[in-house]
Amino acid sequence: MPLNSSNKTFTLIPSDAYRVMPWKNGGGVTHEIAAEEEQEPGWRLSIATIDRDGPFSDFSGYDRTIMTIDGGDVELHFHDDGTVVTLKQYRPFRFAGERKVSCRLLNGPVRDFNVITKRVSYSHEVNVGSTESGLVVGKGELCFVLIFRGKISQPVAAVAGDTLKIEGPASMKLACGDEATMYALVRIIDRRGIG
């Protein structure tokens, strides 16, 4: 249920509310955190488990950011130009969703966090941080805060694994608990009407 505070709307998305759904290519399952409510969503946040080597789904027309959040490193092999990229924990990597890519697990299964946005309508930013003093969410943005460690105590309580959806015209500071909170801050930027 959304809560309002200082011209911001906060919605707690607890980890047990993430929607389980198959990968687009049928090669596994993902836990969808949130998505635009359209037949073909303009943006989506999700967490997936990769338990074997194999191809990634084709997301032509989307930009994609991925990072591992549990487990070891993963190699991404891009078939168009032979590039190999090693994903490291909590280090976002961005690429075009139409690129043909497969992965190779280097140290067993992993969980990864994914953000996709439809290029003609949206863009996105993913930043990972840690704070004891709190986190400021900017003006006029649709943001998500996924908590890896620690907790958010105000304006709504959220613990590791949960996500906060935050909307509204004002900027606001999220208060943390007594320990350092590690998080991913995702900004979804609406590009419709620009240009």
Side-chain angles (χ1 to χ4, degrees):
M1 169 183 276
L3 301 172
N4 292 298
S5 179
S6 299
N7 295 318
K8 284 284 190 191
T9 300
F10 298 83
T11 304
L12 173 63
I13 310 171
S15 58
D16 61 4
Y18 298 166
R19 189 164 69 108
V20 180
M21 55 195 305
W23 286 1
K24 191 175 176 183
N25 69 4
V29 295
T30 191
H31 293 76
E32 183 180 88
I33 298 170
E36 184 184 38
E37 295 179 0
E38 298 288 340
Q39 185 173 0
E40 190 175 289
W43 53 264
R44 188 183 81 171
L45 286 71
S46 61
I47 294 173
T49 299
I50 305 175
D51 58 9
R52 62 186 179 275
D53 300 349
F56 275 21
S57 299
D58 181 348
F59 281 99
S60 293
Y62 286 80
D63 289 317
R64 182 171 186 175
T65 297
I66 183 173
M67 66 178 170
T68 59
I69 58 175
D70 287 314
D73 297 342
V74 179
E75 280 185 352
L76 298 185
H77 294 255
F78 290 89
H79 304 290
D80 54 356
D81 63 3
T83 301
V84 177
V85 174
T86 301
L87 296 180
K88 301 283 188 180
Q89 197 171 52
Y90 303 126
R91 295 186 187 170
F93 175 72
R94 186 179 180 121
F95 62 98
E98 55 268 20
R99 295 188 71 186
K100 303 301 181 194
V101 58
S102 58
C103 72
R104 185 169 78 91
L105 301 174
L106 301 182
N107 308 105
V110 302
R111 288 195 319 142
D112 63 48
F113 175 56
N114 293 272
V115 180
I116 61 170
T117 47
K118 190 185 293 186
R119 198 172 298 123
V120 297
S121 304
Y122 296 96
S123 60
H124 67 271
E125 299 173 359
V126 179
N127 294 287
V128 176
S130 181
T131 181
E132 295 179 4
S133 60
L135 170 65
V136 175
V137 177
K139 297 180 179 179
E141 297 176 336
L142 170 59
C143 295
F144 294 86
V145 179
L146 171 60
I147 304 167
F148 298 126
R149 288 197 297 268
K151 63 183 179 180
I152 299 293
S153 58
Q154 292 291 332
V156 62
V159 298
D162 293 345
T163 301
L164 287 176
K165 178 183 178 183
I166 306 164
E167 302 176 87
S171 61
M172 188 169 183
K173 186 174 183 178
L174 306 180
C176 299
D178 298 331
E179 58 183 311
T181 297
M182 186 173 186
Y183 61 87
L185 173 61
V186 179
R187 292 182 171 93
I188 304 295
I189 300 105
D190 192 339
R191 302 185 59 208
R192 294 169 297 181
I194 297 176

